[in-house]
Amino acid sequence: SQQGEEDPQALSIQEGENATMNCSYKTSINNLQWYRQNSGRGLVHLILIRSNEREKHSGRLRVTLDTSKKSSSLLITASRAADTASYFCPHRGGADGLTFGKGTHLIIQP
Amino acid sequence: ETGVTQTPRHLVMGMTNKKSLKCEQHLGHNAMYWYKQSAKKPLELMFVYSLEERVENNSVPSRFSPECPNSSHLFLHLHTLQPEDSALYLCASSQDYTSGGNNEQFFGPGTRLTVL
């Protein structure tokens, strides 16, 4: 399975703090993406990192990729209440469609 | 707004009904997808269409029947469903369906389906 495994399954922090979540995978990849899903709604693409990249930034988001460890991390700095959501790291190795894990459920406490 | 719309947003149906879910993308993309998201389970890829041809079928029961009449529209026809088919059904599109490259997917808001 090329399923990404997000860790932790749930994370609760105070508003303003940084949130870090991790993702591990099992096979080689072309790229890895992070998506956010607010409760019961569609997914929103956050960032894509290619297999030859080690770090990427987008606004308050920082993603790292370590292909030797088959892992990635997503850092959200200065968290806000609107960041409360589930976060997923599907990836794609060959010509297969994206496969999702259970995600990390992030709760930002006011 | 992601450029992908789904109708209806909510649907309640009996096990003997026939209904269809509709997805439309306004992004000029060539690939479209159906996903199923059940409570406490990972998002499951059901069907993939590229240039109106089905390219992937992940062992989905025949009571789910997809249709892609053109590159902008995707349907999921439902008949004789079971209560365990109750879930959020998400449609997505991407520019292309090829290995490598930028395959960011744009998701619709989903249809919340309840089968009684």
Side-chain angles (χ1 to χ4, degrees), chain A residues 61-85:
Chain A
L61 306 180
R62 172 176 168 258
V63 169
T64 63
L65 179 64
D66 187 335
T67 53
S68 66
K69 296 181 179 178
K70 290 186 167 57
S71 67
S72 174
S73 68
L74 170 67
L75 168 68
I76 304 174
T77 60
S79 62
R80 304 169 182 170
D83 295 327
T84 294

Side-chain angles (χ1 to χ4, degrees), chain B residues 24-104:
Chain B
E24 183 174 0
Q25 56 99 357
H26 311 274
L27 303 168
H29 287 169
N30 294 317
M32 296 187 76
Y33 311 77
W34 278 118
Y35 289 88
K36 175 184 177 183
Q37 188 175 36
S38 305
K40 299 182 179 180
K41 290 180 67 176
L43 203 65
E44 300 170 68
L45 179 64
M46 300 176 72
F47 301 104
V48 182
Y49 276 82
S50 176
L51 297 172
E52 301 155 41
E53 297 286 331
R54 191 191 306 184
V55 296
E56 203 165 316
N57 179 353
N58 289 3
S59 301
V60 178
S62 59
R63 57 186 184 269
F64 295 93
S65 174
E67 178 190 3
C68 187
N70 56 63
S71 60
S72 299
H73 293 86
L74 186 65
F75 293 89
L76 187 63
H77 303 300
L78 316 170
H79 63 97
T80 59
L81 294 192
Q82 304 297 314
E84 59 265 29
D85 296 322
S86 297
L88 181 67
Y89 288 84
L90 293 163
C91 173
S93 71
S94 64
Q95 183 61 56
D96 294 295
Y97 182 78
T98 57
S99 61
N102 182 2
N103 54 325
E104 172 187 353

